[in-house]
Structures are given as C-alpha cells and as structure tokens.
Amino acid sequence: MFHRCQPPSLTTSQQIADGFCSFCWRDARTHERGGGRLRASLSAFNPDKCDPPSERQKFNEGQANGSNSGAKTSSSTETADVALRRPTFSKQPPGSVSPARRQIKEVKETKITINCVTFPLPGEGPEQQLLKPNEWSYCDYFWTDKKDPQGTTSVAGFEVLLQKQLKGKQMQKEMAEFIHERIKIEEEYAKNLSKLSLSPLAVQEEGTLGEAWTQLKKSLHDEAEVHLKFSNKLHSEVEKPLLTFRGDNFKKDLKKYDHHIADLRKQLASRYAGVEKARKALADRQKDLEVKTQQLEIKLSNKTEEDIKKARRKSTQAGDDLMRCVDLYNQTQSKWFEEMVTTSMELEKLEVERIEWIQQHLRQYTTLRHETDMFNQSMVEPVDQLLQNVDPAKDRELWVKENNTGEVRPVDMDI
C-alpha cells in the first residue's frame, strides 16, 4: 500500500542497491503497488516519492556528533521524537483509509459475490446484453439463487430448471392417467349400449312403428362398436405414447445434469474459499510487515532488518498466492458459466420437445373424437382450437416471467 516514509537513523547505498527505499527500508515496489496491484516493476522505483529528511534525521546526526546534553538538546530531542511519531498517524484521521486501500475498496464495490458467484452491482460497468434477446431463454434468467418459500435455504437457478423438467414429467404422467380413465368410461359405455341393444323390451311392437323401433335398437349396437373402437385407439395412439415418452432413463439423465452442475458449483465454492483464505493471509502478511517496519523506525537492528526482509518476501508470496487463487476461481466460474449456458439450453430444448409431443397426441385425441362423435363437434371445437394455438415459446415466456431467478450473468471477480 502507499505509505509516508519516515527518515531512519541510518541510510546506506546498499539499501538502494538492494532495491530498498533509502528512507524507509521498504521494498521499492511498495511505492508502486497502489490501486490493488500486487506486483510492480522494480525499475519504476523512484526514491523521490519518499518524504524528505526531517527533524528525525537532524536528531540522529546530532546523536552521532554527541550533541545530546543540555536543556536545548533535550528540547530538540523531544521535538524530534514527536516529529518522528506524528507523521505516521497525523497524515490520516482515525478510521481513514490509505489511497491504495481506498482504490481497492472502490473496485470491490462494483461487484458482489453471492453464494460464491460474482455479479456486477446494479448500475456498475457496461450494461449486459441478453444472450438470446426476445426469446425468454433459460440461459438468460436463472443465474442467481432464490429463497425457498420458507426463506430458510437457497435454491440454485439450475435447480429451478430441473424442477421444471420433473414437474413436466409428472404432468405428462397425470395426462396419461386422465386418458386411461376416459378409456374406461368409453369401454363401459360401449358394453352397456351393446347389452341394451339386445333387450326384449317392446319386441312385440308391430307395423311401421315396430320396424323403426327395431332399427333404433340396432343403431345402439352399431354405436357400441364405434365407442369400443374409439377406446382402443385412445389407448394405442394417445395413452401409450404419453406413458412411454421419456421413460425411466430421463430422470437418470437429469441426475447427471444435476450432479455435473453441482460438482462445478462445489468446485467454485472451494475456489472462493481459497480466495478468501489467500486474501486473509495477504492481509496478515501486510500487517506483519507494517508492524516490523514500525519497529525498525523506532530501533534499528540487524535482526529487525532480517525480519523485515522475511516479512516482505512472505507478503509478496501471499500476493502471488492471492492472484493465483483468483485466477483459478475465475477459470472455474467461466467453466461453470459455459456449462450452465449449454445445459440450460439443452433443458429448454427438452421442454420444447415435451410440449410439442403432448400437443401432437392431444390433437390426435380430438381427431378421434371427431371421427366418433360428430354430434358433439360444437363441444370439441373449442378444445381443438386451443390445441392448435399451443405455442411452446409463449408457454415458456409465461413460465419464465413467473419463476425466473435473475437475468444478470456472472462476471469475473476482481482482486
């Protein structure tokens, strides 16, 4: 971070040769590390950025010359000692932040990490464009997690898409059960019509009226045959396809999708934990370096100098570790992002296929009804009209509007 250098009691040409500030003994790169940069070129070092020698240096020179007696010398000593300590704290009021830290904070405030996924804050950065504008595509609206109805746990956006698939499978099964009940009614109706056509009631009716009555009873038998044929076609052309469409393997495929995305999400959480751990380690190393540097400003010793060198190396290593962890996190999030886009579009395609499949076979149901019962055409036409108007895209739009979890996609994390 940026710092205000305090003049030490000793400077040597070896400090500059070693790449240290001739005033503060800190690594020259420390002066160039503002704005969140963890590493900088040593060639950019400029000793002129340090504060010029102050009363502290004069005081030390006086000590070297033995001028440390008398009231005036004592007063100078107190003045120099005050001058030594005050600049370190008076440059910033309590609670203030150094320029480097303030800049890092500003960068962080443009993004937020929710459940280990990094998003831009509203109004920060360029506006994101939808991947598939005007299509209400799954790949644009399920990036964030949402609370369950109780508000106790979070449900991942991808989990919402999987639940939609499972719900669709259940709806398909219930539709097949509905058609099965319809078949049973037709079979029972055909059986009763056939039995009634053989009834001896009014068999003794004579003349033209008797002939009409006999024909009426015969028409019951013909109608029973029509309804029996209708029930058989319902079973083979509607009920069975609905039952067999995407069998048990479908749920296994969904589990594979679930496990794959969940594993990537776990990897992302692990990488994020690594970033936070590395961030804390860097903060600890920087704090340790500052403490040791302050100790050096008070009392110079070879041991303190060695400690500072070690602390500096550890701080630099911690910065490198943090950069590596952030890179690994961003790589993992990019992989998760790509798989989310690909897999969500596959689920979207599956949902379109499901809707079109059901649409096709329900229209077959209405076709059979037209063949069987032309008298009830006026009642069937509204259903037929609604089926003709089935639109998977419109269904998806309505569902996404009601169930989407967010349209902002992840972006790379900043240090």
Side-chain angles (χ1 to χ4, degrees), residues 321-364:
D321 290 343
L322 177 57
M323 292 182 66
R324 179 180 57 81
C325 290
V326 170
D327 287 341
L328 291 174
Y329 170 88
N330 287 335
Q331 292 172 17
T332 303
Q333 182 172 256
S334 294
K335 183 177 180 181
W336 172 74
F337 171 81
E338 293 170 1
E339 291 299 318
M340 273 287 291
V341 172
T342 301
T343 308
S344 63
M345 292 184 68
E346 289 177 359
L347 295 181
E348 181 179 309
K349 180 181 177 181
L350 290 175
E351 179 64 5
V352 170
E353 291 175 353
R354 183 189 76 89
I355 292 177
E356 291 179 342
W357 179 268
I358 294 176
Q359 174 195 13
Q360 174 186 345
H361 290 86
L362 289 185
R363 293 190 67 181
Q364 180 63 18

Side-chain angles (χ1 to χ4, degrees), residues 3-191:
H3 66 280
R4 303 292 293 175
C5 305
Q6 298 299 325
S9 59
L10 178 66
T11 61
T12 66
S13 59
Q14 185 61 37
Q15 288 178 259
I16 300 177
D18 290 341
F20 300 151
C21 173
S22 61
F23 286 152
C24 68
W25 280 75
R26 300 188 189 183
D27 192 333
R29 291 172 293 181
T30 304
H31 295 278
E32 304 298 327
R33 200 175 285 162
R37 293 177 57 191
L38 297 176
R39 293 178 296 184
S41 172
L42 186 59
S43 61
F45 169 54
N46 184 3
D48 293 336
K49 290 187 178 181
C50 302
D51 289 344
S54 62
E55 292 297 329
R56 171 70 182 273
Q57 189 174 27
K58 296 177 182 179
F59 166 71
N60 290 329
E61 291 174 355
Q63 280 190 320
N65 295 328
S67 57
N68 56 353
S69 61
K72 183 176 181 180
T73 304
S74 176
S75 176
S76 299
T77 302
E78 294 175 359
T79 303
D81 193 49
V82 171
L84 166 68
R85 291 174 173 79
R86 184 172 297 172
T88 304
F89 302 99
S90 63
K91 295 296 182 181
Q92 298 177 5
S96 65
V97 186
S98 68
R101 284 181 178 173
R102 183 165 60 251
Q103 186 171 352
I104 292 175
K105 182 178 180 182
E106 290 172 356
V107 171
K108 284 185 178 180
E109 287 179 348
T110 64
K111 298 180 181 180
I112 185 173
T113 300
I114 304 174
N115 292 342
C116 305
V117 182
T118 303
F119 299 94
L121 286 173
E124 299 292 342
E127 182 180 357
Q128 291 184 347
Q129 301 298 320
L130 297 177
L131 296 176
K132 300 180 70 176
N134 303 321
E135 294 190 29
W136 293 95
S137 176
Y138 289 174
C139 66
D140 279 318
Y141 296 94
F142 294 89
W143 291 110
T144 55
D145 302 341
K146 79 171 188 177
K147 294 289 186 180
D148 65 359
Q150 289 74 28
T152 55
T153 59
S154 295
V155 179
F158 186 76
E159 184 65 25
V160 175
L161 294 176
L162 288 178
Q163 291 173 359
K164 170 62 174 174
Q165 294 294 317
L166 293 174
K167 181 179 179 181
K169 179 68 175 175
Q170 179 62 26
M171 295 302 98
Q172 169 190 325
K173 179 182 178 181
E174 292 181 9
M175 288 178 184
E177 293 176 357
F178 180 89
I179 298 299
H180 181 71
E181 293 298 320
R182 182 71 174 88
I183 291 172
K184 288 169 61 176
I185 292 173
E186 287 296 323
E187 290 176 344
E188 187 67 20
Y189 184 54
K191 179 181 177 181

